[in-house]
Amino acid sequence: MKFQVINEEDPVLVNELVDGVRAHVHEQLGDESTLPLSVISRDDNGELIGGVSGRTIYRNFLIGVVWVDKKYRGTGLGRQLMELAEDEAIGRGCLVSQVDTLSIQAPVFYQKLGFEIIGSVPEFPGSPARYFLMKTYGET
């Protein structure tokens, strides 16, 4: 047995690890249907001004990133993007959405959209607190 520390991005390696996890999950839960899901907005010049991106899997919408350009924060754009993404996820059969965020980012934003904090990691020197949130759409 050998060990190796790798200090650079290696998408091939990450995909190999993910394939291993998927094989294990498949043994436990059967076939999965995972699809990417992104909703974006561009300004009149075609510049990206915000978006939501994640994937749907096992009736979950796993949100990976939500971003709105500073100029458009507070305008309702974030809410619109989230609502469109959630509508698509529900249309795919999702019963819940999950997201995590730092205390310096947007926990209150997600709570206003109906997400509940289901876990957290408290802040410590050099790191803000981290919150894990979930929103339920139907009976789980």
Side-chain angles (χ1 to χ4, degrees):
M1 181 180 313
K2 295 180 181 178
F3 295 92
Q4 183 179 7
V5 175
I6 302 168
N7 293 311
E8 57 188 42
E9 296 281 337
D10 185 343
V12 173
L13 176 62
V14 171
N15 287 336
E16 191 173 346
L17 294 170
V18 169
D19 288 344
V21 170
R22 284 190 177 139
H24 173 74
V25 171
H26 177 74
E27 291 172 8
Q28 304 298 313
L29 298 174
D31 288 335
E32 66 178 275
S33 177
T34 179
L35 294 171
L37 171 54
S38 296
V39 176
I40 65 166
S41 182
R42 297 184 183 277
D43 67 14
D44 294 336
N45 297 318
E47 296 293 320
L48 184 67
I49 59 172
V52 176
S53 186
R55 61 187 324 96
T56 57
I57 183 170
Y58 292 120
R59 304 184 81 179
N60 287 272
F61 177 30
L62 305 177
I63 301 166
V65 62
V66 177
W67 172 77
V68 173
D69 184 279
K70 193 173 187 173
K71 293 184 295 191
Y72 294 91
R73 292 179 194 156
T75 67
L77 177 61
R79 173 180 288 278
Q80 288 177 292
L81 290 164
M82 286 292 295
E83 288 172 351
L84 288 168
E86 288 180 280
D87 287 347
E88 177 66 22
I90 292 167
R92 294 181 184 187
C94 289
L95 298 177
V96 299
S97 285
Q98 300 174 48
V99 67
D100 68 270
T101 190
L102 300 175
S103 58
I104 60 169
Q105 291 174 316
V108 173
F109 168 75
Y110 295 112
Q111 288 175 302
K112 287 180 182 178
L113 295 175
F115 284 77
E116 294 181 34
I117 295 173
I118 59 169
S120 64
V121 176
E123 69 178 91
F124 54 88
S127 179
R130 186 174 190 171
Y131 297 100
F132 301 89
L133 298 99
M134 185 174 86
K135 182 175 180 177
T136 302
Y137 302 118
E139 294 183 33
T140 55

